[in-house]
Amino acid sequence: MITAETLMGVLLGSAAGGVARFQVGAWVTQLAGTAFPWGTLVVNVSGTLAAGVLIALWPSDHPTSPGLFALLMLGFLGSYTTVSSFALQTLNLAREGKPVRAAGNLLASGTACLGAAWLGYQLTMLVAPLP
């Protein structure tokens, strides 16, 4: 059953995650330019790194605080990461006749995000292993 605590966590986390995504993406794009979707890549990699940390802290069989998990993982990181933007930007690169950039975005995002989630999990398990 979905609780009011979980719903509030998702609501508040989503608002904060959306603002953070916008700010980080704009900052990275301002620094790196628009020839490649660096802002989206940085957001997705940092978000999946954080998700790896959270997964290490909250194993699925022992949720310690459903409201906090909903705030951070479902709300904040769900809104912060930008898989839909990633997909549309990759498609646009391909449609614009830039297949190498499209493939590069696909490969970089997939590899870096999976690697970041794994790294976040591993680092967290080293620092704060669960019993």
Side-chain angles (χ1 to χ4, degrees):
M1 174 158 203
I2 299 173
T3 66
E5 178 187 18
T6 299
L7 288 175
M8 285 304 294
V10 171
L11 175 71
L12 296 173
S14 295
V19 171
R21 176 210 181 288
F22 178 79
Q23 292 293 344
V24 171
W27 176 69
V28 172
T29 299
Q30 184 179 16
L31 290 174
T34 60
F36 187 83
W38 291 110
T40 301
L41 180 62
V42 167
V43 164
N44 285 340
V45 171
S46 62
T48 54
L49 176 68
V53 169
L54 290 178
I55 290 296
L57 294 174
W58 276 293
S60 60
D61 57 342
H62 297 322
T64 55
S65 174
L68 184 58
F69 185 82
L71 174 83
L72 297 174
M73 181 70 86
L74 304 176
F76 185 85
L77 291 178
S79 183
Y80 177 72
T81 57
T82 56
V83 175
S84 60
S85 295
F86 152 73
L88 290 173
Q89 289 167 338
T90 303
L91 177 62
N92 285 338
L93 287 170
R95 290 179 61 209
E96 292 167 1
K98 301 172 183 170
V100 173
R101 286 187 182 176
N105 192 38
L106 184 63
L107 183 62
S109 291
T111 303
C113 289
L114 181 58
W118 176 85
L119 180 63
Y121 179 85
Q122 295 299 324
L123 290 174
T124 302
M125 293 306 286
L126 283 173
V127 174
L130 297 172

